[in-house]
Amino acid sequence: MGVAGEGFTDEGFVHRIFREAPQEDSGSDTLGNYRYQAEVAAQMCIALITQDFVESVVCEWHEDLVVSYADGSVELVSVKHRGKRRAPWNVAELCKNGGLAHLFDRWRACDGLSNVRLRLATNAGLTTGKGGAATLKAVCGADPEITTGLDAMAGTVAQHLLKVRWKQHYATIPEVPEVARLGDIAVPAGFTDTVKLFFAALHIDDELPSRQHITDVNLQSLLVPAIATLQRDHVDVEATYRALVDRIEKSNRDESDRGQLAVYLADPTRVLHSVQIQQRIARRRLTRATVLDTFVSSRAVVPTFARGQLPIVAPGGGNLRKKMARGRIPADEAAHAERLRSAWYVTWSEHRSGLAGDTTELANASFEVLDTVFVCREQAEGELPDGAPYGRRMNQLMTRHLTPDALGGGLTIPVNGQHLRGLAYQLCDDCDFYFSEWFDPSDEEAS
């Protein structure tokens, strides 16, 4: 699929919908609706880990969700939960409270681009009969179920959208004079044809589980099969699902930099706020790696290398080698220390967020590790005769005492004792401690 050159950045193709900020909504949805929205998003996030055609999910950007696909298209998704005591949606309610006016406005703001699709997702049914919401669903989509009655339905929806515009401001829905009857609303020239194009981009999904059942459906019908497809053993399914929904809710939360920014995407020369916008999108974007990071192991032991991680050699290491040689640590143990230092390097590189909090987290963990190392050194010196090399015994004690349970929790990423020893060896390479009396590593050749 060809794309215009203007859509490329240093990180690859960026769809126009992600190059400018959306209008900010001022709705007051309940906490329960936000949770439901997050659980609907979880359905797409689970698809991320098993379906190659889904690339990412961005929360609360123009709509409740924006799903990016590998073919360069995006789908704006509006999620509407309807209580079990409420009647099925009719056409008027879909336009007014069911999200159709909002979807139409956002679609128009995207210039009706051919690679922008729309979805209204709800748990409620649709009214049947002539001119009912079920008929609206049937005439929508690139390959609609029926084509008869399309003109009449487009005219009805056009009038409903114009009526909604009397009470709610939508920049892309024209204003017309208020009248007493829906049928008397004067539809501007060409507006009904625009509504037909909107239908072609729209899919209505009225088969979502209810708020009471969506958790169980997502767990048993989606997450469990996905874990089986990935051949992941020892996954705590319920804890993983909770972690995933929590991560999605974090992406949904309000931000300090949410300004009233323009919604229009048509002018690629508008670069004001572009850096800020991309940062905001990054905080809201969920990818395959993001979802896999929420997996919770049912085992107490964290693997040293996560599935798919490639062991690589960490930069540096010269000071560590010299210090272990001076401490009389055998060559095979020294080589293993180098591998553990690299294991820590890979794990920290994979899990760090890139935000300012990383520095504090690493500092706190380093303090705890160094405290333990110094205790190990003191014990090693006390066990051996005065002047005897204590480096090997110190290293043995570090293996015993540098465990996640023994530390106070300075790290939020999942680590095991090998990771913590790798961090210790990195701190040794940084000259924060020695396996012997102090010396200047720059004056000594590595063994």
Side-chain angles (χ1 to χ4, degrees), residues 6 15-23 61-63 65-67 72-77 101-119 171-173 194 197-198 201 262-268 270:
E6 68 185 24
H15 194 281
R16 292 174 69 182
I17 198 166
F18 296 127
R19 296 211 298 272
E20 193 153 341
Q23 292 174 335
W61 194 262
H62 295 277
E63 274 297 347
L65 309 170
V66 177
V67 183
S73 65
V74 297
E75 184 178 39
L76 310 186
V77 183
H102 197 270
L103 274 171
F104 178 85
D105 184 64
R106 299 302 165 93
W107 172 74
R108 288 290 307 279
C110 299
D111 289 342
L113 293 171
S114 61
N115 57 354
V116 175
R117 301 196 299 273
L118 313 165
R119 189 190 336 167
T172 65
I173 300 177
T194 302
L197 295 175
F198 169 65
V263 69
Y264 295 103
L265 313 175
D267 185 357
R270 297 179 65 181

Tab-separated table of all heavy atoms in Angstrom, residues 6 15-23 61-63 65-67 72-77 101-119 171-173 194 197-198 201 262-268 270:
chain	number	residue	atom	x	y	z
A	6	GLU	N	5.024	12.525	3.231
A	6	GLU	CA	4.851	13.392	4.390
A	6	GLU	C	4.471	12.612	5.629
A	6	GLU	O	4.542	13.136	6.741
A	6	GLU	CB	3.759	14.421	4.106
A	6	GLU	CG	2.367	13.786	3.987
A	6	GLU	CD	1.303	14.779	3.594
A	6	GLU	OE1	1.671	15.799	2.984
A	6	GLU	OE2	0.132	14.534	3.879
A	15	HIS	N	0.299	7.857	10.751
A	15	HIS	CA	-0.976	8.207	10.139
A	15	HIS	C	-1.342	9.639	10.513
A	15	HIS	O	-1.010	10.135	11.586
A	15	HIS	CB	-2.056	7.240	10.637
A	15	HIS	CG	-3.313	7.309	9.835
A	15	HIS	ND1	-4.244	8.311	10.016
A	15	HIS	CD2	-3.790	6.508	8.850
A	15	HIS	CE1	-5.242	8.117	9.179
A	15	HIS	NE2	-4.997	7.035	8.463
A	16	ARG	N	-2.047	10.306	9.606
A	16	ARG	CA	-2.392	11.714	9.829
A	16	ARG	C	-3.173	11.916	11.119
A	16	ARG	O	-3.111	12.969	11.744
A	16	ARG	CB	-3.220	12.231	8.646
A	16	ARG	CG	-2.412	12.306	7.360
A	16	ARG	CD	-3.300	12.681	6.194
A	16	ARG	NE	-3.774	14.051	6.269
A	16	ARG	CZ	-4.604	14.569	5.368
A	16	ARG	NH1	-5.061	13.836	4.381
A	16	ARG	NH2	-4.987	15.824	5.480
A	17	ILE	N	-3.905	10.905	11.528
A	17	ILE	CA	-4.717	11.065	12.732
A	17	ILE	C	-3.870	11.224	13.981
A	17	ILE	O	-4.312	11.733	15.008
A	17	ILE	CB	-5.687	9.873	12.884
A	17	ILE	CG1	-6.799	10.241	13.855
A	17	ILE	CG2	-4.973	8.623	13.367
A	17	ILE	CD1	-7.942	9.292	13.819
A	18	PHE	N	-2.596	10.801	13.906
A	18	PHE	CA	-1.704	10.913	15.050
A	18	PHE	C	-0.756	12.102	14.927
A	18	PHE	O	0.221	12.194	15.657
A	18	PHE	CB	-0.886	9.624	15.229
A	18	PHE	CG	-1.731	8.430	15.540
A	18	PHE	CD1	-1.625	7.273	14.785
A	18	PHE	CD2	-2.642	8.460	16.573
A	18	PHE	CE1	-2.406	6.169	15.061
A	18	PHE	CE2	-3.426	7.362	16.864
A	18	PHE	CZ	-3.303	6.217	16.099
A	19	ARG	N	-1.010	13.008	13.975
A	19	ARG	CA	-0.126	14.156	13.812
A	19	ARG	C	-0.713	15.429	14.386
A	19	ARG	O	-0.100	16.478	14.312
A	19	ARG	CB	0.216	14.337	12.323
A	19	ARG	CG	1.013	13.159	11.756
A	19	ARG	CD	1.948	13.631	10.659
A	19	ARG	NE	1.251	14.199	9.530
A	19	ARG	CZ	0.801	13.511	8.497
A	19	ARG	NH1	0.936	12.201	8.484
A	19	ARG	NH2	0.190	14.102	7.503
A	20	GLU	N	-1.911	15.354	14.931
A	20	GLU	CA	-2.477	16.516	15.612
A	20	GLU	C	-3.420	16.046	16.690
A	20	GLU	O	-3.970	14.958	16.637
A	20	GLU	CB	-3.178	17.453	14.624
A	20	GLU	CG	-3.488	18.798	15.250
A	20	GLU	CD	-3.554	19.904	14.228
A	20	GLU	OE1	-3.014	19.715	13.127
A	20	GLU	OE2	-4.118	20.942	14.543
A	21	ALA	N	-3.595	16.885	17.689
A	21	ALA	CA	-4.380	16.496	18.855
A	21	ALA	C	-5.864	16.616	18.595
A	21	ALA	O	-6.306	17.436	17.816
A	21	ALA	CB	-4.002	17.378	20.050
A	22	PRO	N	-6.656	15.781	19.272
A	22	PRO	CA	-8.107	15.853	19.128
A	22	PRO	C	-8.696	16.935	20.004
A	22	PRO	O	-8.040	17.454	20.898
A	22	PRO	CB	-8.559	14.479	19.617
A	22	PRO	CG	-7.538	14.113	20.649
A	22	PRO	CD	-6.230	14.679	20.135
A	23	GLN	N	-9.977	17.235	19.746
A	23	GLN	CA	-10.696	18.094	20.669
A	23	GLN	C	-10.847	17.357	21.989
A	23	GLN	O	-10.884	16.141	22.037
A	23	GLN	CB	-12.091	18.411	20.122
A	23	GLN	CG	-12.087	19.293	18.885
A	23	GLN	CD	-13.496	19.445	18.332
A	23	GLN	OE1	-14.348	18.593	18.555
A	23	GLN	NE2	-13.719	20.514	17.609
A	61	TRP	N	-8.088	8.997	22.102
A	61	TRP	CA	-7.504	9.887	21.082
A	61	TRP	C	-8.524	10.038	19.962
A	61	TRP	O	-8.709	9.125	19.179
A	61	TRP	CB	-6.195	9.305	20.537
A	61	TRP	CG	-5.412	10.321	19.764
A	61	TRP	CD1	-5.374	10.492	18.411
A	61	TRP	CD2	-4.577	11.338	20.303
A	61	TRP	NE1	-4.576	11.529	18.079
A	61	TRP	CE2	-4.059	12.081	19.228
A	61	TRP	CE3	-4.218	11.707	21.589
A	61	TRP	CZ2	-3.212	13.153	19.401
A	61	TRP	CZ3	-3.364	12.766	21.764
A	61	TRP	CH2	-2.867	13.479	20.677
A	62	HIS	N	-9.215	11.158	19.927
A	62	HIS	CA	-10.311	11.408	18.996
A	62	HIS	C	-11.566	10.605	19.353
A	62	HIS	O	-12.663	11.114	19.251
A	62	HIS	CB	-9.921	11.119	17.548
A	62	HIS	CG	-8.858	12.021	17.027
A	62	HIS	ND1	-9.141	13.267	16.524
A	62	HIS	CD2	-7.512	11.883	16.963
A	62	HIS	CE1	-8.002	13.843	16.156
A	62	HIS	NE2	-7.018	13.035	16.413
A	63	GLU	N	-11.384	9.363	19.758
A	63	GLU	CA	-12.493	8.539	20.223
A	63	GLU	C	-12.007	7.736	21.422
A	63	GLU	O	-10.883	7.924	21.894
A	63	GLU	CB	-12.986	7.607	19.104
A	63	GLU	CG	-14.022	8.244	18.174
A	63	GLU	CD	-15.316	8.618	18.887
A	63	GLU	OE1	-15.528	8.165	20.038
A	63	GLU	OE2	-16.123	9.361	18.297
A	65	LEU	N	-11.121	4.720	21.537
A	65	LEU	CA	-9.945	3.951	21.102
A	65	LEU	C	-9.638	4.299	19.656
A	65	LEU	O	-10.532	4.604	18.878
A	65	LEU	CB	-10.213	2.439	21.170
A	65	LEU	CG	-10.761	1.829	22.442
A	65	LEU	CD1	-11.171	0.393	22.181
A	65	LEU	CD2	-9.720	1.906	23.537
A	66	VAL	N	-8.351	4.226	19.318
A	66	VAL	CA	-7.947	4.226	17.914
A	66	VAL	C	-7.081	2.988	17.712
A	66	VAL	O	-6.058	2.822	18.375
A	66	VAL	CB	-7.153	5.488	17.523
A	66	VAL	CG1	-6.689	5.382	16.068
A	66	VAL	CG2	-7.993	6.740	17.718
A	67	VAL	N	-7.520	2.110	16.823
A	67	VAL	CA	-6.774	0.890	16.531
A	67	VAL	C	-6.010	1.100	15.243
A	67	VAL	O	-6.588	1.475	14.217
A	67	VAL	CB	-7.716	-0.326	16.402
A	67	VAL	CG1	-6.912	-1.605	16.180
A	67	VAL	CG2	-8.598	-0.453	17.641
A	72	GLY	N	-1.751	0.297	7.368
A	72	GLY	CA	-1.734	1.753	7.397
A	72	GLY	C	-3.074	2.378	7.719
A	72	GLY	O	-3.171	3.598	7.818
A	73	SER	N	-4.101	1.574	7.892
A	73	SER	CA	-5.418	2.113	8.228
A	73	SER	C	-5.581	2.232	9.736
A	73	SER	O	-4.830	1.621	10.513
A	73	SER	CB	-6.519	1.220	7.661
A	73	SER	OG	-6.500	-0.055	8.283
A	74	VAL	N	-6.555	3.030	10.126
A	74	VAL	CA	-6.896	3.153	11.540
A	74	VAL	C	-8.400	3.022	11.690
A	74	VAL	O	-9.155	3.246	10.745
A	74	VAL	CB	-6.429	4.503	12.136
A	74	VAL	CG1	-4.926	4.640	12.093
A	74	VAL	CG2	-7.108	5.672	11.430
A	75	GLU	N	-8.815	2.641	12.888
A	75	GLU	CA	-10.232	2.508	13.191
A	75	GLU	C	-10.531	3.291	14.455
A	75	GLU	O	-9.940	3.044	15.506
A	75	GLU	CB	-10.602	1.035	13.369
A	75	GLU	CG	-12.084	0.803	13.585
A	75	GLU	CD	-12.421	-0.670	13.698
A	75	GLU	OE1	-11.636	-1.417	14.317
A	75	GLU	OE2	-13.471	-1.080	13.167
A	76	LEU	N	-11.447	4.265	14.337
A	76	LEU	CA	-11.909	5.004	15.500
A	76	LEU	C	-13.057	4.228	16.131
A	76	LEU	O	-14.042	3.918	15.452
A	76	LEU	CB	-12.384	6.398	15.107
A	76	LEU	CG	-11.467	7.270	14.241
A	76	LEU	CD1	-12.064	8.665	14.088
A	76	LEU	CD2	-10.085	7.339	14.826
A	77	VAL	N	-12.940	3.937	17.417
A	77	VAL	CA	-13.924	3.101	18.096
A	77	VAL	C	-14.588	3.891	19.212
A	77	VAL	O	-13.904	4.417	20.105
A	77	VAL	CB	-13.282	1.826	18.677
A	77	VAL	CG1	-14.348	0.929	19.317
A	77	VAL	CG2	-12.526	1.064	17.595
A	101	ALA	N	-23.124	10.879	16.231
A	101	ALA	CA	-22.788	12.267	15.897
A	101	ALA	C	-21.315	12.537	16.163
A	101	ALA	O	-20.629	13.214	15.387
A	101	ALA	CB	-23.668	13.229	16.698
A	102	HIS	N	-20.826	12.002	17.268
A	102	HIS	CA	-19.411	12.187	17.622
A	102	HIS	C	-18.508	11.515	16.600
A	102	HIS	O	-17.512	12.098	16.132
A	102	HIS	CB	-19.178	11.624	19.018
A	102	HIS	CG	-17.913	12.080	19.663
A	102	HIS	ND1	-16.722	11.413	19.526
A	102	HIS	CD2	-17.649	13.151	20.450
A	102	HIS	CE1	-15.778	12.032	20.207
A	102	HIS	NE2	-16.314	13.097	20.781
A	103	LEU	N	-18.831	10.273	16.235
A	103	LEU	CA	-18.040	9.564	15.230
A	103	LEU	C	-18.069	10.298	13.889
A	103	LEU	O	-17.042	10.410	13.209
A	103	LEU	CB	-18.578	8.141	15.047
A	103	LEU	CG	-18.061	7.062	15.991
A	103	LEU	CD1	-18.865	5.783	15.813
A	103	LEU	CD2	-16.578	6.795	15.789
A	104	PHE	N	-19.255	10.764	13.503
A	104	PHE	CA	-19.368	11.497	12.248
A	104	PHE	C	-18.471	12.740	12.265
A	104	PHE	O	-17.744	13.013	11.292
A	104	PHE	CB	-20.828	11.913	12.022
A	104	PHE	CG	-21.053	12.712	10.764
A	104	PHE	CD1	-21.248	12.084	9.553
A	104	PHE	CD2	-21.059	14.105	10.803
A	104	PHE	CE1	-21.453	12.820	8.387
A	104	PHE	CE2	-21.265	14.851	9.649
A	104	PHE	CZ	-21.463	14.203	8.433
A	105	ASP	N	-18.486	13.475	13.366
A	105	ASP	CA	-17.683	14.694	13.476
A	105	ASP	C	-16.198	14.387	13.394
A	105	ASP	O	-15.448	15.079	12.700
A	105	ASP	CB	-18.022	15.395	14.799
A	105	ASP	CG	-17.291	16.713	14.945
A	105	ASP	OD1	-17.541	17.627	14.131
A	105	ASP	OD2	-16.457	16.833	15.864
A	106	ARG	N	-15.760	13.348	14.072
A	106	ARG	CA	-14.336	12.993	14.035
A	106	ARG	C	-13.937	12.475	12.654
A	106	ARG	O	-12.833	12.720	12.189
A	106	ARG	CB	-14.018	11.976	15.137
A	106	ARG	CG	-14.297	12.503	16.542
A	106	ARG	CD	-13.501	13.773	16.848
A	106	ARG	NE	-14.000	14.470	18.013
A	106	ARG	CZ	-13.554	14.306	19.254
A	106	ARG	NH1	-12.623	13.424	19.499
A	106	ARG	NH2	-14.057	15.003	20.243
A	107	TRP	N	-14.823	11.747	12.019
A	107	TRP	CA	-14.543	11.265	10.658
A	107	TRP	C	-14.416	12.435	9.688
A	107	TRP	O	-13.500	12.483	8.869
A	107	TRP	CB	-15.658	10.318	10.238
A	107	TRP	CG	-15.616	9.884	8.798
A	107	TRP	CD1	-14.754	9.000	8.223
A	107	TRP	CD2	-16.497	10.314	7.758
A	107	TRP	NE1	-15.042	8.847	6.889
A	107	TRP	CE2	-16.116	9.646	6.570
A	107	TRP	CE3	-17.587	11.192	7.708
A	107	TRP	CZ2	-16.770	9.834	5.362
A	107	TRP	CZ3	-18.242	11.370	6.512
A	107	TRP	CH2	-17.834	10.703	5.350
A	108	ARG	N	-15.333	13.392	9.787
A	108	ARG	CA	-15.250	14.572	8.932
A	108	ARG	C	-13.974	15.358	9.225
A	108	ARG	O	-13.355	15.923	8.317
A	108	ARG	CB	-16.463	15.478	9.152
A	108	ARG	CG	-17.770	14.946	8.600
A	108	ARG	CD	-17.807	14.950	7.080
A	108	ARG	NE	-17.494	16.248	6.506
A	108	ARG	CZ	-18.352	17.270	6.390
A	108	ARG	NH1	-19.597	17.139	6.830
A	108	ARG	NH2	-17.984	18.405	5.837
A	109	ALA	N	-13.575	15.430	10.496
A	109	ALA	CA	-12.355	16.140	10.861
A	109	ALA	C	-11.115	15.473	10.280
A	109	ALA	O	-10.076	16.108	10.116
A	109	ALA	CB	-12.220	16.234	12.384
A	110	CYS	N	-11.231	14.187	9.961
A	110	CYS	CA	-10.140	13.465	9.291
A	110	CYS	C	-10.266	13.549	7.777
A	110	CYS	O	-9.598	12.788	7.053
A	110	CYS	CB	-10.145	11.991	9.707
A	110	CYS	SG	-9.904	11.702	11.446
A	111	ASP	N	-11.128	14.458	7.301
A	111	ASP	CA	-11.354	14.639	5.864
A	111	ASP	C	-11.945	13.408	5.203
A	111	ASP	O	-11.847	13.241	3.980
A	111	ASP	CB	-10.041	15.007	5.138
A	111	ASP	CG	-9.579	16.408	5.478
A	111	ASP	OD1	-10.417	17.200	5.970
A	111	ASP	OD2	-8.399	16.717	5.269
A	112	GLY	N	-12.563	12.514	5.997
A	112	GLY	CA	-13.160	11.319	5.408
A	112	GLY	C	-12.143	10.460	4.684
A	112	GLY	O	-12.461	9.830	3.672
A	113	LEU	N	-10.898	10.414	5.181
A	113	LEU	CA	-9.848	9.641	4.510
A	113	LEU	C	-10.268	8.186	4.329
A	113	LEU	O	-10.906	7.594	5.205
A	113	LEU	CB	-8.551	9.703	5.331
A	113	LEU	CG	-7.865	11.074	5.409
A	113	LEU	CD1	-6.737	11.042	6.427
A	113	LEU	CD2	-7.331	11.467	4.048
A	114	SER	N	-9.876	7.610	3.210
A	114	SER	CA	-10.326	6.259	2.880
A	114	SER	C	-9.768	5.211	3.823
A	114	SER	O	-10.330	4.114	3.931
A	114	SER	CB	-9.928	5.918	1.432
A	114	SER	OG	-8.514	5.969	1.285
A	115	ASN	N	-8.650	5.502	4.484
A	115	ASN	CA	-8.093	4.515	5.407
A	115	ASN	C	-8.454	4.800	6.858
A	115	ASN	O	-7.785	4.340	7.777
A	115	ASN	CB	-6.571	4.410	5.244
A	115	ASN	CG	-5.876	5.750	5.435
A	115	ASN	OD1	-6.535	6.780	5.572
A	115	ASN	ND2	-4.562	5.737	5.445
A	116	VAL	N	-9.514	5.570	7.070
A	116	VAL	CA	-10.084	5.765	8.400
A	116	VAL	C	-11.411	5.021	8.462
A	116	VAL	O	-12.336	5.329	7.712
A	116	VAL	CB	-10.295	7.253	8.729
A	116	VAL	CG1	-11.011	7.411	10.068
A	116	VAL	CG2	-8.962	7.984	8.755
A	117	ARG	N	-11.469	4.006	9.320
A	117	ARG	CA	-12.709	3.273	9.526
A	117	ARG	C	-13.293	3.650	10.887
A	117	ARG	O	-12.599	4.182	11.756
A	117	ARG	CB	-12.463	1.764	9.454
A	117	ARG	CG	-11.880	1.314	8.117
A	117	ARG	CD	-12.026	-0.194	7.934
A	117	ARG	NE	-11.335	-0.968	8.948
A	117	ARG	CZ	-10.053	-1.330	8.864
A	117	ARG	NH1	-9.328	-0.957	7.808
A	117	ARG	NH2	-9.493	-2.046	9.807
A	118	LEU	N	-14.565	3.347	11.063
A	118	LEU	CA	-15.282	3.735	12.277
A	118	LEU	C	-16.023	2.533	12.830
A	118	LEU	O	-16.518	1.688	12.073
A	118	LEU	CB	-16.295	4.844	11.962
A	118	LEU	CG	-15.791	6.014	11.120
A	118	LEU	CD1	-16.959	6.831	10.591
A	118	LEU	CD2	-14.856	6.902	11.936
A	119	ARG	N	-16.089	2.488	14.167
A	119	ARG	CA	-16.869	1.417	14.777
A	119	ARG	C	-17.609	1.950	15.995
A	119	ARG	O	-17.013	2.609	16.857
A	119	ARG	CB	-15.982	0.250	15.204
A	119	ARG	CG	-16.816	-0.960	15.626
A	119	ARG	CD	-16.061	-2.087	16.298
A	119	ARG	NE	-14.660	-2.169	16.016
A	119	ARG	CZ	-13.825	-2.949	16.727
A	119	ARG	NH1	-14.283	-3.670	17.737
A	119	ARG	NH2	-12.546	-2.980	16.443
A	171	ALA	N	-18.360	20.867	14.958
A	171	ALA	CA	-17.867	21.804	13.949
A	171	ALA	C	-18.175	21.355	12.523
A	171	ALA	O	-18.306	22.185	11.617
A	171	ALA	CB	-16.362	22.009	14.121
A	172	THR	N	-18.302	20.040	12.317
A	172	THR	CA	-18.475	19.544	10.944
A	172	THR	C	-19.925	19.232	10.595
A	172	THR	O	-20.197	18.749	9.500
A	172	THR	CB	-17.620	18.276	10.729
A	172	THR	OG1	-18.118	17.237	11.579
A	172	THR	CG2	-16.159	18.544	11.038
A	173	ILE	N	-20.843	19.467	11.514
A	173	ILE	CA	-22.272	19.303	11.225
A	173	ILE	C	-22.866	20.705	11.048
A	173	ILE	O	-22.766	21.535	11.958
A	173	ILE	CB	-23.001	18.548	12.346
A	173	ILE	CG1	-22.404	17.152	12.527
A	173	ILE	CG2	-24.497	18.448	12.050
A	173	ILE	CD1	-23.018	16.354	13.669
A	194	THR	N	-22.879	12.957	1.953
A	194	THR	CA	-21.787	12.807	2.919
A	194	THR	C	-22.128	11.736	3.952
A	194	THR	O	-21.268	10.934	4.346
A	194	THR	CB	-21.503	14.142	3.626
A	194	THR	OG1	-21.186	15.134	2.661
A	194	THR	CG2	-20.355	14.017	4.606
A	197	LEU	N	-21.416	8.323	2.592
A	197	LEU	CA	-19.986	7.995	2.677
A	197	LEU	C	-19.614	7.599	4.103
A	197	LEU	O	-18.777	6.708	4.329
A	197	LEU	CB	-19.140	9.187	2.222
A	197	LEU	CG	-19.283	9.587	0.750
A	197	LEU	CD1	-18.487	10.864	0.466
A	197	LEU	CD2	-18.818	8.461	-0.170
A	198	PHE	N	-20.211	8.267	5.064
A	198	PHE	CA	-20.020	7.935	6.471
A	198	PHE	C	-20.482	6.504	6.742
A	198	PHE	O	-19.789	5.731	7.422
A	198	PHE	CB	-20.800	8.944	7.320
A	198	PHE	CG	-20.917	8.606	8.772
A	198	PHE	CD1	-19.800	8.556	9.592
A	198	PHE	CD2	-22.174	8.377	9.342
A	198	PHE	CE1	-19.922	8.263	10.953
A	198	PHE	CE2	-22.303	8.092	10.685
A	198	PHE	CZ	-21.173	8.029	11.498
A	201	ALA	N	-17.963	3.850	5.846
A	201	ALA	CA	-16.816	3.699	6.743
A	201	ALA	C	-17.189	3.120	8.093
A	201	ALA	O	-16.320	2.780	8.895
A	201	ALA	CB	-16.147	5.063	6.943
A	262	ALA	N	-6.538	21.882	18.236
A	262	ALA	CA	-7.399	21.715	17.061
A	262	ALA	C	-7.509	20.257	16.664
A	262	ALA	O	-6.582	19.467	16.810
A	262	ALA	CB	-6.833	22.524	15.900
A	263	VAL	N	-8.657	19.886	16.095
A	263	VAL	CA	-8.886	18.509	15.683
A	263	VAL	C	-8.528	18.276	14.221
A	263	VAL	O	-8.305	17.152	13.800
A	263	VAL	CB	-10.357	18.120	15.933
A	263	VAL	CG1	-11.280	18.849	14.993
A	263	VAL	CG2	-10.555	16.622	15.830
A	264	TYR	N	-8.479	19.324	13.418
A	264	TYR	CA	-8.321	19.103	11.978
A	264	TYR	C	-6.950	18.552	11.625
A	264	TYR	O	-5.938	18.940	12.174
A	264	TYR	CB	-8.579	20.416	11.221
A	264	TYR	CG	-10.002	20.872	11.365
A	264	TYR	CD1	-10.321	21.908	12.221
A	264	TYR	CD2	-11.021	20.233	10.672
A	264	TYR	CE1	-11.639	22.313	12.387
A	264	TYR	CE2	-12.332	20.632	10.832
A	264	TYR	CZ	-12.638	21.667	11.697
A	264	TYR	OH	-13.942	22.047	11.861
A	265	LEU	N	-6.957	17.612	10.684
A	265	LEU	CA	-5.740	16.900	10.322
A	265	LEU	C	-5.306	17.172	8.887
A	265	LEU	O	-4.357	16.584	8.404
A	265	LEU	CB	-5.981	15.379	10.460
A	265	LEU	CG	-6.654	14.938	11.764
A	265	LEU	CD1	-6.936	13.460	11.706
A	265	LEU	CD2	-5.774	15.270	12.928
A	266	ALA	N	-6.021	18.047	8.210
A	266	ALA	CA	-5.827	18.163	6.765
A	266	ALA	C	-4.538	18.859	6.370
A	266	ALA	O	-4.004	18.604	5.301
A	266	ALA	CB	-7.005	18.907	6.141
A	267	ASP	N	-4.017	19.737	7.211
A	267	ASP	CA	-2.878	20.559	6.812
A	267	ASP	C	-1.587	20.009	7.412
A	267	ASP	O	-1.296	20.206	8.584
A	267	ASP	CB	-3.092	22.003	7.284
A	267	ASP	CG	-2.001	22.939	6.784
A	267	ASP	OD1	-1.062	22.445	6.130
A	267	ASP	OD2	-2.098	24.148	7.051
A	268	PRO	N	-0.767	19.289	6.643
A	268	PRO	CA	0.459	18.691	7.181
A	268	PRO	C	1.526	19.715	7.531
A	268	PRO	O	2.519	19.383	8.167
A	268	PRO	CB	0.930	17.766	6.050
A	268	PRO	CG	0.373	18.392	4.817
A	268	PRO	CD	-0.943	18.993	5.215
A	270	ARG	N	1.117	22.165	9.530
A	270	ARG	CA	0.920	22.644	10.891
A	270	ARG	C	1.732	21.773	11.836
A	270	ARG	O	1.335	20.668	12.175
A	270	ARG	CB	-0.554	22.601	11.267
A	270	ARG	CG	-1.407	23.527	10.412
A	270	ARG	CD	-2.865	23.437	10.813
A	270	ARG	NE	-3.036	23.935	12.179
A	270	ARG	CZ	-4.217	23.957	12.789
A	270	ARG	NH1	-5.282	23.499	12.186
A	270	ARG	NH2	-4.321	24.431	14.015
